[in-house]
Amino acid sequence: MTIEIPDRAPTAHVIVVGNEKGGSGKSTVAMHLAIALLKQGQRVATIDLDARQRSLTNYVENRRAWVRHIARDLESPAHVCLGDKVDIADGDAAARVLADAIDTLAGNNDYIIIDTPGHDSLLTRVVHALANTLITPMNDSFVDFDVLGTVDPATFGVTGSGHYARMVQESLGQRESFGQPSTNWIVLRNRVSMLGSRNKRLVEEGLQELSRRLGFRYVEGLAERLIFREFYPRGLTAMDDLDARTLGTRPTLSHATARMEVESLLSAIGLVDASAGDEADAEKRDAA
Ligand SMILES: Nc1ncnc2c1ncn2[C@@H]1O[C@H](COP(=O)(O)OP(=O)(O)O)[C@@H](O)[C@H]1O
Ligand SMILES: [Mg+2]
């Protein structure tokens, strides 16, 4: 499959959340990153390429409806659902509409976060080649590991790369051949059990080895927590204000822990604006 990437790189930082595996947490991670960056005062747009599931689109629309319900303004990204604009199955037409959407959004935003479907397509390849940062969430299981790498059944040592990893390498190679700076590829584990297990350790060892082979950085991701899924119908995230009016319920300790987890993820990815903390400190000093 040959892809064309625009000769002019978008001026906004493009974050692609990708993995050829459904249910790995792409849409959840995309929404949490979007709200976390908005909370830092960044201008954020989101694009949903998953025309079938529309999880990110529904997440954003649920948020807008909840904002009206609680009559309180919550930071929300400018959002484009590509499937609403063009027939995604028509790869070339969809790629043109996508390029236009990125061009327009890049003019008014610092970050564009693109959520992708769990299968290979022309569009998925195009956005992988456009990524400044590529984030691949994966569940803590060898079934999910398989799309990145294969392992020896006796030793669990890595024996080769999986089909998604090969696609990523092709797209990133294409990006380099267009003279674009290299992509910061990060794999994060999602829905990690809080209990230690042999499986958890083996997956971790496998990822360490694969990260050296494939050139991604592996970071601790998010634990399995109800809070990462229960607020979807209200469009809320662990990054939102932890007060009863915003949440529609009383916050729990798990909210605060989940938020710290997302914050450490952001800093591990390298998306923390160092001045954001200084500004918050200055505001606190002024208020005192
Ligand atoms: N850290 C987490 N803890 C609990 N549930 C999660 C977590 N991450 C994702 N989920 C849930 O897992 C399912 C798949 O997540 P989703 O973001 O839709 O994955 P994808 O976009 O890769 O298909 C959803 O039900 C989501 O609410
Ligand atoms: Mg999804």
Side-chain angles (χ1 to χ4, degrees), residues 21-28 48 50 53-56 115-118:
K21 188 87 199 164
S24 57
K26 293 180 289 296
S27 305
T28 306
D48 190 354
D50 194 341
Q53 302 213 345
R54 298 168 57 94
S55 306
L56 184 62
D115 188 22
T116 60

Side-chain angles (χ1 to χ4, degrees), residues 209-220:
E209 193 179 334
L210 256 191
S211 73
R212 288 189 290 274
R213 275 189 185 221
L214 297 174
F216 61 73
R217 205 149 54 81
Y218 150 69
V219 304
E220 269 306 318

Side-chain angles (χ1 to χ4, degrees), residues 29-40:
V29 166
M31 184 67 167
H32 276 78
L33 289 180
I35 307 302
L37 288 168
L38 283 165
K39 291 272 176 195
Q40 286 188 5

Side-chain angles (χ1 to χ4, degrees), residues 99-126:
D100 284 349
I102 292 180
D103 224 25
T104 310
L105 294 172
N108 317 314
N109 290 281
D110 304 303
Y111 289 91
I112 300 177
I113 301 180
I114 306 178
D115 188 22
T116 60
H119 57 81
D120 189 9
S121 71
L122 176 72
L123 280 190
T124 318
R125 286 177 181 242
V126 167

